[in-house]
């Protein structure tokens, strides 16, 4: 098949592109290269790269022509930047999704698979998070993701475009950029441990997350693109297991074969204490199973970062 991956030069997008290309599919990448990198696609053959923006409906429409599936990964992924610059975040994360859905309609794309987020659950304290819970986003980013989900479900009802939304929890793996102040904690800790530098817990390190290796997320995307009878659905994508930051630091040190100093700093404003997903729906309806657990994923990541230095 031919597939369009928006944000295909980014962290998660480039892994989807790689899997598609490795399994013989034609891939079109639409990326504005603001945070995506050409080097993320280096060595992947059979990929057509379009340098343009999801905010431009014509660009999305042209890229979608002849595609059977769209994986919509393009987004401004930072919660804090959505708070600081809500208009820009809105334009990319909501208008971008609408443009993708319209392009899918015009180009008669069979299915759109969308990168949603655990951020839609917001302050809802119940654990684990189940898809049937009422969304209570507490950031513009969360609002943008749940709004996009509503657009997807509506396009599937109104226009027959098949849609699936995947609510990613804390995704980690190779190519996640550790250099921004809001980089995922695993990318930061791995970078620092391998450099022998101290790590900092924002808070006391007892907060927990459901960390999921990017390879599992790619598996979920392929299933979401191909499984029959799931159109209009939303699915948590995680491991269904909780790891505290203190446990995480120890696992990373073990994988790296060295220890570093640990310090604490004040908790980040708006930080949630614990997050873990119920993944029963994804297991039952998509046939999803996380093949790589957190420990294995950390080992793969440490090896990758070490080799690329
Ligand atoms: C994740 C997603 C975000 C959104 C959100 C929804 C990532 C990278 N971000 O944010 O896009 O979906 O979930 O709830 O997956 N921390 C430290 N030290 C550090 C860096 C981070 O203690 O050097 C803490 C941080 O305060 C937080 C935890 O680690 O308690 C995880 O932080 P994160 O930025 O990796 O991810 P999160 O859960 O805030």
């Amino acid at each position: 098949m031919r597939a369009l991956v928006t944000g295909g030069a980014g962290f998660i997008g480039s892994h989807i592109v790689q899997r598609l290309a490795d399994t013989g599919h034609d891939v079109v990448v639409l990326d504005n290269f603001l945070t995506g990198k050409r080097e993320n696609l280096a060595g992947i053959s059979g990929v057509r790269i379009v340098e343009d923006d999801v905010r431009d409906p014509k660009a999305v429409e042209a890229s979608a022509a002849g595609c059977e599936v769209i994986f919509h990964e393009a987004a401004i992924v930072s919660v804090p930047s959505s708070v600081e610059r809500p208009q820009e975040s809105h334009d990319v994360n909501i208008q971008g999704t609408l443009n993708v859905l319209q392009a899918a309609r015009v180009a008669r794309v069979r299915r759109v698979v969308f990168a949603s987020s655990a951020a839609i659950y917001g302050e809802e304290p119940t654990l684990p998070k189940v898809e049937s819970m009422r969304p209570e986003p507490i950031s513009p980013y969360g609002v943008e993701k749940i709004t996009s989900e509503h657009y997807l479900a509506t396009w599937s009802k109104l226009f027959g475009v098949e849609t699936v939304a995947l609510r990613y929890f804390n995704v980690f793996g190779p190519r996640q950029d550790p250099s921004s102040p809001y980089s995922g904690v695993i990318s930061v800790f791995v970078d620092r441990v391998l450099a022998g530098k101290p790590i900092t817990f924002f808070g006391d390190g007892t907060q927990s997350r459901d960390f999921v290796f990017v390879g599992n997320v790619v598996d979920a995307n392929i299933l979401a693109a191909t499984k029959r009878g799931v159109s209009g659905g939303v699915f948590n994508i995680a491991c269904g297991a909780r790891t505290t930051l203190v446990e995480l630091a120890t696992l990373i040190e073990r994988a790296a074969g060295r220890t570093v100093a640990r310090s604490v700093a004040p908790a980040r404003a708006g930080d949630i204490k614990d997050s873990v997903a119920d993944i029963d729906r994804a297991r039952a309806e998509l046939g999803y199973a996380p093949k790589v657990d957190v420990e294995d994923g950390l080992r793969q990541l440490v090896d990758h970062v070490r080799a690329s230095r």
Side-chain angles (χ1 to χ4, degrees):
M1 75 177 170
R2 176 184 290 183
L4 168 62
V5 184
T6 72
F11 162 46
I12 299 173
S14 64
H15 284 279
I16 296 173
V17 171
Q18 184 159 30
R19 177 79 62 86
L20 289 168
D22 287 351
T23 48
H25 300 293
D26 289 336
V27 189
V28 181
V29 166
L30 174 66
D31 203 298
N32 63 6
F33 292 96
L34 281 184
T35 53
K37 297 188 187 118
R38 281 183 193 276
E39 69 208 50
N40 286 346
L41 299 170
I44 307 177
S45 51
V47 178
R48 183 163 75 87
I49 298 174
V50 179
E51 184 167 349
D52 220 317
D53 203 293
V54 282
R55 282 169 289 193
D56 178 354
K58 291 280 168 237
V60 185
E61 215 178 291
S63 316
C67 290
E68 192 184 332
V69 175
I70 301 177
F71 298 89
H72 180 35
E73 310 299 308
I76 296 184
V77 295
S78 161
V79 172
S81 86
S82 81
V83 177
E84 284 153 25
R85 292 185 298 281
Q87 185 65 56
E88 187 189 4
S89 187
H90 174 103
D91 290 346
V92 174
N93 294 350
I94 295 185
Q95 188 62 49
T97 302
L98 185 57
N99 291 343
V100 163
L101 288 168
Q102 280 292 61
R105 223 180 124 191
V106 172
R108 299 186 177 280
V109 170
R110 180 175 55 79
R111 188 172 291 186
V112 174
V113 181
F114 170 62
S116 188
S117 165
I120 67 103
Y121 294 111
E123 255 172 343
E124 159 60 60
T126 318
L127 293 176
K129 308 292 186 200
V130 185
E131 291 89 340
S132 55
M133 282 174 179
R134 186 184 142 87
E136 291 189 35
I138 49 165
S139 64
Y141 181 76
V143 171
E144 291 151 14
K145 289 296 181 183
I146 194 67
T147 304
S148 292
E149 285 190 12
H150 287 308
Y151 266 126
L152 256 73
T154 305
W155 251 243
S156 122
K157 283 183 201 128
L158 281 180
F159 307 115
V161 178
E162 295 181 0
T163 65
V164 178
L166 302 178
R167 293 177 177 167
Y168 301 160
F169 280 64
N170 289 63
V171 187
F172 73 98
R175 302 187 199 135
Q176 191 172 29
D177 183 359
S179 64
S180 112
Y182 306 116
S183 294
V185 63
I186 290 185
S187 66
V188 176
F189 280 9
V190 167
D191 193 55
R192 297 191 69 85
V193 169
L194 286 177
K197 293 182 183 158
I199 54 170
T200 303
F201 299 124
F202 301 143
D204 60 4
T206 60
Q207 67 265 51
S208 61
R209 295 291 185 272
D210 195 335
F211 296 105
V212 56
F213 188 64
V214 67
N216 299 331
V217 173
V218 174
D219 292 345
N221 272 276
I222 302 301
L223 290 164
T226 48
K227 202 86 185 165
R228 285 173 189 272
V230 294
S231 180
V234 302
F235 299 95
N236 288 339
I237 300 302
C239 280
R242 263 159 89 170
T243 307
T244 67
L245 290 198
V246 172
E247 289 165 347
L248 178 71
T250 302
L251 291 175
I252 292 172
E253 287 176 337
R254 200 179 294 156
R258 72 188 300 174
T259 57
V260 295
R262 301 175 181 195
S263 65
V264 291
R268 271 193 327 212
D271 218 13
I272 53 169
K273 176 77 170 77
D274 299 298
S275 170
V276 64
D278 179 313
I279 56 170
D280 286 354
R281 187 189 283 184
R283 282 187 195 278
E285 294 184 30
L286 290 180
Y288 165 76
K291 288 192 199 122
V292 179
D293 66 15
V294 173
E295 225 170 321
D296 284 344
L298 288 173
R299 273 194 289 268
Q300 288 189 41
L301 176 60
V302 164
D303 289 348
H304 171 89
V305 174
R306 198 175 256 148
S308 58
R309 282 188 170 191

